[in-house]
Amino acid sequence: MFRTYTDYVNKTALTLPDKFIDVRTGESIEVLPKVLEQIEYHSNNSTLIHLVLTALNSYLHPKSISSGNSLLLEEIREIKRMMQMGYLPKGNGQIGNGLTQLNETSNLDLNEVEDVLEAFGG
């Protein structure tokens, strides 16, 4: 069943089916109630075009968090190494650096990450 949402002020109309095809994966996905709620909210507030353009902007320019994940994994690996060795680093307390550690991070098993997080109560 299709439903049309209209922003009369900005002359924007959006007709939604119950399901849509994810253009990246080709999967058929049900339109979530949260999505319908947001579309209805923006239709009623004459901001439907802004919602659509914001969604397209996020789709076309996704924020990359991969570098943040690499840094986090590197630090978790260093914490695990310190726990296994049973001591804290001397000096200024900085976690080591260098390409060697970064390469070791790429071999980090997610189960090891979970073990470290559980050890710290998370």
Side-chain angles (χ1 to χ4, degrees), residues 10-27:
N10 294 304
K11 300 179 181 174
T12 306
L14 186 61
T15 302
L16 297 180
D18 292 335
K19 294 182 178 183
F20 66 98
I21 296 172
D22 186 322
V23 293
R24 290 182 180 168
T25 64
E27 293 180 48

Side-chain angles (χ1 to χ4, degrees), residues 34-122:
K34 179 81 173 175
V35 172
L36 294 174
E37 179 183 305
Q38 285 297 306
I39 290 172
E40 187 167 337
Y41 171 82
H42 287 282
S43 294
N44 293 333
N45 290 297
S46 303
T47 55
L48 183 58
I49 189 64
H50 299 288
L51 174 66
V52 171
L53 291 174
T54 299
L56 283 171
N57 191 52
S58 295
Y59 171 78
L60 295 172
H61 304 288
K63 293 180 181 175
S64 176
I65 57 171
S66 62
S67 62
N69 286 343
S70 296
L71 180 62
L72 179 62
L73 289 174
E74 180 182 334
E75 291 186 7
I76 289 173
R77 184 172 183 80
E78 184 64 19
I79 291 169
K80 181 182 178 183
R81 188 185 64 78
M82 288 187 308
M83 290 172 60
Q84 289 175 336
M85 295 179 74
Y87 72 92
L88 294 175
K90 294 179 181 176
N92 60 8
Q94 285 186 335
I95 295 176
N97 57 24
L99 188 58
T100 305
Q101 282 189 331
L102 189 59
N103 288 337
E104 290 176 0
T105 303
S106 63
N107 297 327
L108 186 63
D109 184 5
L110 287 179
N111 290 329
E112 293 177 353
V113 173
E114 287 179 8
D115 292 344
V116 172
L117 292 175
E118 285 179 15
F120 284 95

